Amino acid sequence: MLNALVAKQKGIDMISSTQEPLSNQQFVSGQRPPKPPQTELNQQQTETVQSILANYDADSLTGDDAKAIIEAFKEAGIQPGESLESVMEQAGFDAKQLGELAGLEKGMPQRPLPPTATFETTV
């Protein structure tokens, strides 16, 4: 702490080494935030995924099909993760291919912006 005071007097900004460690909710600028914890699908969610996928042919999916599947998963509260990928694979579907067909590989947001989101235009 004394070094920080000396540095401040000399006009040098310094980060104190006595800062508390970063929590799971904080991240260093320039780094990606931590991934949310993976959750296992429960039996009902597994059955919902299987029911949704049963309406489609994995070998002839279109982009619209993929978007509809992803939207159905969202509406059912099913989050992406290893568990979902595993259930999809067991049903004959490739999760990565589904995302690509839906346009998710192009950096499109997976969730819509909240209605309170505001934008500013500067000229």
Side-chain angles (χ1 to χ4, degrees), residues 74-96:
K74 287 179 186 178
E75 288 175 7
I78 297 170
Q79 299 294 318
E82 290 177 13
S83 184
L84 174 60
E85 186 175 349
S86 175
V87 173
M88 290 179 66
E89 186 177 316
Q90 291 171 7
F93 289 81
D94 181 327
K96 182 177 180 188

Side-chain angles (χ1 to χ4, degrees), residues 51-114:
S51 174
I52 291 168
L53 295 177
N55 296 312
Y56 299 92
D57 179 8
D59 297 323
S60 61
L61 282 179
T62 66
D64 288 339
D65 291 340
K67 289 175 187 175
I69 291 169
I70 289 171
E71 187 59 34
F73 289 165
K74 287 179 186 178
E75 288 175 7
I78 297 170
Q79 299 294 318
E82 290 177 13
S83 184
L84 174 60
E85 186 175 349
S86 175
V87 173
M88 290 179 66
E89 186 177 316
Q90 291 171 7
F93 289 81
D94 181 327
K96 182 177 180 188
Q97 179 189 27
L98 185 77
E100 289 171 354
L101 283 171
L104 298 180
E105 85 287 355
K106 297 175 187 167
M108 296 174 58
Q110 294 185 18
R111 296 187 181 137
L113 292 173

